[in-house]
Amino acid sequence: MAVEARTVLWYMTFIGFIVNYMLRINLNITIVDMIAGVNGRTTLAPPTNATINALGTNKSDFLASVAPAVATANSTDRVERYSWERQFLDWAKIDYERDGFHWNEKEQSNLLGSFFWVHWLLQLPGGILARKYGTKLVFGLANGVGVFCCFLIPIFSYWSYSALLWLRVFQGLVTGLAWPSMHVMTAKWIPPNERSKFVSAYLGSSVGVAMFYPIFGYVIAWTSWEWVYYICGIFGMLWFVAWQFLVFDSPAEHPRIAQSERRYIEKSLGASVHSSSPGPTPWRQIATSRPVWMNVVAQWGGIWGLFTLMTHGPTYFRLIHHWDIRATGFLSGMPHLMRMIFAYCFSMFADYLLRTDRLSRTNVRKLATGVCCGVKGLVVLALAYFGYNATAAIVLVAVATMFHGAVSSGPLASMVDLSPNYAGIVLGVSGMIGGMPGFISPYIVGILTQGNQTIEAWKNVFMLTAAMLIGSGVIYVFFSESTLQPWNSGRHALPEAGLKELQTFEEKLPLQSVATEEASAATQPVKSNN
């Protein structure tokens, strides 16, 4: 039995987002090893009395329990490891920080946030360019150029802090094209009642985090942090080659798709997606659309929560709970694997609700967003109060990150529901604004924890995160909708319905190609057999 083209597309999209998030998070784990000290471990600040009291112990017992970790972390006996960058700099007689980089908390936070400083700038152009040139080119190049930058990060790190900072800024800028461009392809390939499941492929980002955090931890422990970037580069280039050969912008362009699958896709999408250009982009209607802004609000809160835990999780577990680099990598990555599994299961549940007309499309999206923002916010709030316990911390971080998986059935799918023809642009608008927490959150965390790596400081970080999540979830549930918007197209009005009404509606809309052939045949004179 032949594999469906949509299945191949799902897997290639899934791996593509693994690559995309691999680029985002590799510095989050390597920075733990790059900082001066043994294996990059920074000098631990002395605990405050409030911290010790929160742990339910006395000062002498606390110091005795953490003395081995502190002694190891504050030692300066770094093991010298080979890297070709060091060899090149030694050969060129260029001075560099041989024993690790002396970056303070603010400089580290700037590095972690720099990826997102201008990441949002190309969100909107990403959707526009994908409509014009195709997702295959835009998404492929966005990841491909970002992957190439990985090969440069080690030498730039030794060369100059500023050089590394601006390389990360450029890497974040170019990869900003990826997410909105994929919505253009989703709108062309995926029938309405399969969107929740397909958009779960976007959560390959979670698997990227879950898979590469522990792998990077072990790579660093066995070799050196530089090898993390070599592995990222090689893996990303292999995906880029496969993407070019296996993926096509629409069913009509795919040379190997079964005709039955192509007819099914085109018939399902015929009511809402134009094969030709749908006309000028309705910028004013998009900018003043309440449903669009509700998705922006949901993305703002969701991304604030996700990136705070993802970007600063390794630092939190290392400095607050004193885990080594391998444990930090594994325990920082595990929650994101749970996020992907939850996303896939919840997406099937959401599509079931749509197929059976148990809930309207709007209510399904509200349910999903209530989970990925509201419920997650409550869990993060619990983390603020119980994070002093190492077991409670990892459980709460894992559960909070897991609940965010519902985003694939919430705002991410809702953007395609609102306007399949302009889904990439809608996601671009959402990404430009909703993606800003990617750099705002690290900046605020840097301020809150500057010279103050304590449980009290991180409690404030998590309380702010919980407020963002719960607030955005409540606003979305009360004011959002996920019906096809009038500005998507004036040709057909897609009913707000489940599968039964959609099937009845689609039966009245034959394929454009069939209609064209019939009309052409009707106008041709009948030839004589003589």
Side-chain angles (χ1 to χ4, degrees):
M1 181 178 179
V3 178
E4 290 185 337
R6 300 197 308 287
T7 301
V8 174
L9 178 61
W10 190 94
Y11 280 105
M12 291 306 303
T13 302
F14 179 76
I15 299 173
F17 280 106
I18 288 179
V19 172
N20 189 264
Y21 260 63
M22 172 187 74
L23 302 177
R24 301 182 187 213
I25 61 96
N26 48 25
L27 184 62
N28 299 354
I29 189 74
T30 59
I31 200 170
V32 179
D33 192 64
M34 295 166 72
I35 305 302
V38 168
N39 296 331
R41 290 159 187 163
T42 55
T43 301
L44 301 179
T48 64
N49 289 331
T51 299
I52 295 171
N53 292 336
L55 292 170
T57 185
N58 57 58
K59 189 167 185 176
S60 60
D61 290 342
F62 176 83
L63 293 177
S65 66
V66 303
V70 173
T72 300
N74 293 343
S75 169
T76 58
D77 184 21
R78 174 181 284 268
V79 177
E80 185 76 16
R81 292 170 177 170
Y82 171 82
S83 78
W84 77 264
E85 289 88 1
R86 288 169 175 257
Q87 185 180 38
F88 171 77
L89 292 170
D90 288 338
W91 172 82
K93 294 182 171 56
I94 298 175
D95 188 36
Y96 63 94
E97 295 184 86
R98 183 176 296 274
D99 296 323
F101 305 106
H102 294 80
W103 303 326
N104 60 35
E105 285 89 345
K106 187 174 181 180
E107 289 173 322
Q108 293 175 48
S109 292
N110 285 339
L111 274 177
L112 294 175
S114 61
F115 186 95
F116 304 98
W117 286 357
V118 293
H119 181 73
W120 55 275
L121 277 180
L122 293 187
Q123 293 281 310
L124 184 55
I128 297 172
L129 291 172
R131 287 186 68 219
K132 185 173 183 179
Y133 299 107
T135 299
K136 177 177 180 176
L137 176 65
V138 176
F139 187 82
L141 285 181
N143 274 358
V145 174
V147 163
F148 177 75
C149 291
C150 287
F151 293 111
L152 302 177
I153 286 178
I155 192 66
F156 274 52
S157 300
Y158 285 113
W159 174 29
S160 164
Y161 171 85
S162 297
L164 174 61
L165 186 74
W166 290 110
L167 178 62
R168 285 289 287 179
V169 170
F170 173 74
Q171 192 178 36
L173 174 69
V174 71
T175 54
L177 293 165
W179 279 76
S181 69
M182 182 50 63
H183 257 26
V184 175
M185 183 173 282
T186 299
K188 291 182 178 180
W189 272 92
I190 309 303
N193 290 297
E194 294 181 11
R195 284 176 187 154
S196 296
K197 182 179 178 181
F198 182 82
V199 174
S200 69
Y202 294 22
L203 275 297
S205 55
S206 290
V207 175
V209 177
M211 180 172 68
F212 283 110
Y213 262 150
I215 289 176
F216 292 164
Y218 278 97
V219 167
I220 292 170
W222 290 336
T223 57
S224 66
W225 61 265
E226 292 92 340
W227 271 95
V228 166
Y229 297 100
Y230 307 154
I231 291 172
C232 289
I234 294 170
F235 180 80
M237 286 301 178
L238 291 175
W239 168 85
F240 179 78
V241 172
W243 176 264
Q244 297 304 314
F245 279 98
L246 298 176
V247 172
F248 298 86
D249 284 310
S250 68
E253 297 177 41
H254 199 303
R256 297 180 295 275
I257 188 173
Q259 288 303 307
S260 58
E261 182 183 6
R262 176 180 170 180
R263 286 194 297 270
Y264 167 71
I265 295 171
E266 292 179 341
K267 190 177 181 70
S268 298
L269 298 179
S272 58
V273 177
H274 299 168
S275 58
S276 58
S277 175
T281 301
W283 291 110
R284 183 178 63 82
Q285 290 90 334
I286 292 175
T288 57
S289 170
R290 177 168 55 86
V292 169
W293 282 103
M294 289 303 98
N295 282 298
V296 171
V297 169
Q299 285 292 84
W300 175 281
I303 290 177
W304 189 292
L306 176 66
F307 284 7
T308 298
L309 297 181
M310 181 181 71
T311 302
H312 296 283
T315 301
Y316 169 71
F317 286 120
R318 176 65 195 95
L319 297 182
I320 300 302
H321 296 294
H322 315 301
W323 291 341
D324 64 29
I325 190 70
R326 282 171 287 191
T328 296
F330 175 76
L331 293 172
S332 297
M334 180 185 67
H336 295 275
L337 179 60
M338 296 173 61
R339 177 177 175 241
M340 176 60 215
I341 295 172
F342 183 79
Y344 189 79
C345 294
F346 194 92
S347 68
M348 291 193 293
F349 174 63
D351 284 341
Y352 164 77
L353 294 176
L354 292 173
R355 286 197 308 271
T356 57
D357 291 332
R358 300 298 175 92
L359 286 178
S360 68
R361 197 173 303 277
T362 291
N363 287 333
V364 168
R365 305 311 181 208
K366 286 184 176 182
L367 173 64
T369 306
V371 172
C372 74
C373 289
V375 176
K376 179 181 177 180
L378 294 175
V379 178
V380 173
L381 186 63
L383 176 64
Y385 287 96
F386 300 103
Y388 60 83
N389 181 282
T391 302
I394 187 57
V395 170
L396 291 171
V397 168
V399 172
T401 305
M402 177 191 74
F403 280 134
H404 189 261
V407 70
S408 66
S409 303
L412 285 180
S414 176
M415 294 177 206
V416 186
D417 295 333
L418 297 178
S419 176
N421 284 320
Y422 303 104
I425 292 176
V426 172
L427 182 57
V429 171
S430 175
M432 283 186 68
I433 302 171
M436 289 182 181
F439 64 86
I440 296 175
S441 172
Y443 177 76
I444 293 178
V445 172
I447 293 175
L448 294 174
T449 60
Q450 172 74 27
N452 185 31
Q453 290 289 350
T454 62
I455 288 177
E456 291 82 5
W458 283 96
K459 179 179 179 179
N460 293 330
V461 169
F462 296 137
M463 289 184 69
L464 175 61
T465 302
M468 291 290 182
L469 285 164
I470 295 172
S472 63
V474 169
I475 292 172
Y476 186 93
V477 168
F478 276 101
F479 300 108
S480 71
E481 63 176 273
S482 297
T483 56
L484 191 75
Q485 298 301 291
W487 40 266
N488 176 69
S489 169
R491 295 182 6 170
H492 301 293
L494 186 66
E496 170 58 19
L499 183 63
K500 296 176 183 177
E501 289 179 334
L502 178 62
Q503 288 175 332
T504 302
F505 183 71
E506 287 168 352
E507 288 173 359
K508 302 175 183 178
L509 296 169
L511 290 176
Q512 288 184 350
S513 59
V514 174
T516 301
E517 290 174 2
E518 291 176 350
S520 176
T523 59
Q524 294 294 325
V526 178
K527 294 183 178 180
S528 172
N529 291 330
N530 296 329

